[in-house]
Amino acid sequence: EVQLVESGGGLVQPGGSLRLSCAASGFTFDDYAMSWVRQAPGKGLEWVSGISWIGDSTYYADSMKGRFTVSRDNAKNTLYLQMNSLKSEDTAVYYCSKNQGAYYYYGMDYWGKGTLVTVSS
């Protein structure tokens, strides 16, 4: 059974940083790209970032470029999202997702339950 468990969310002030983690199990982690998506209150899902199966290619939505960094540790079956210079508009539930192939442009087929990030003073 595929399981994706996010952690690391919380309350942070504008301009602050958080590091999200996603522990994966139930599949061969290093065979697949992984992605982060988010859902702000009252809004739809928004793709945030993706990383290839071996971590050599990373991709970001325009509004996250230069502020967010995605990475993975295949030895630990863990995906990360380092978020810096956080803004109030980054407030959302962040979900880890498994892609259906080795690169992020393959569709996503599994999601975690999410972790809430609240950016507020």
Side-chain angles (χ1 to χ4, degrees):
E1 178 188 5
V2 173
Q3 289 194 333
L4 300 169
V5 181
E6 302 92 340
S7 61
L11 175 64
V12 62
Q13 292 186 340
S17 298
L18 278 177
R19 188 194 197 201
L20 306 183
S21 299
C22 172
S25 62
F27 64 102
T28 305
F29 184 70
D30 55 8
D31 276 353
Y32 296 94
M34 297 292 293
S35 295
W36 289 97
V37 297
R38 70 184 185 184
Q39 186 168 27
K43 297 189 176 181
L45 281 174
E46 177 185 23
W47 176 79
V48 172
S49 179
I51 186 167
S52 63
W53 64 288
I54 202 172
D56 60 339
S57 299
T58 57
Y59 311 88
Y60 302 93
D62 286 345
S63 60
M64 289 76 170
K65 286 180 182 176
R67 299 191 301 123
F68 290 10
T69 302
V70 63
S71 61
R72 63 192 296 162
D73 185 337
N74 286 348
K76 295 182 178 180
N77 286 3
T78 303
L79 175 71
Y80 302 100
L81 185 67
Q82 177 68 44
M83 305 186 294
N84 299 329
S85 302
L86 284 162
K87 307 173 182 179
S88 58
E89 51 263 44
D90 294 318
T91 294
V93 177
Y94 285 73
Y95 299 91
C96 163
S97 66
K98 171 187 167 293
N99 289 91
Q100 293 176 299
Y103 292 92
Y104 89 102
Y105 44 76
Y106 289 93
M108 294 172 275
D109 55 3
Y110 291 93
W111 291 262
K113 293 184 178 181
T115 185
L116 176 63
V117 172
T118 303
V119 184
S120 175
S121 55

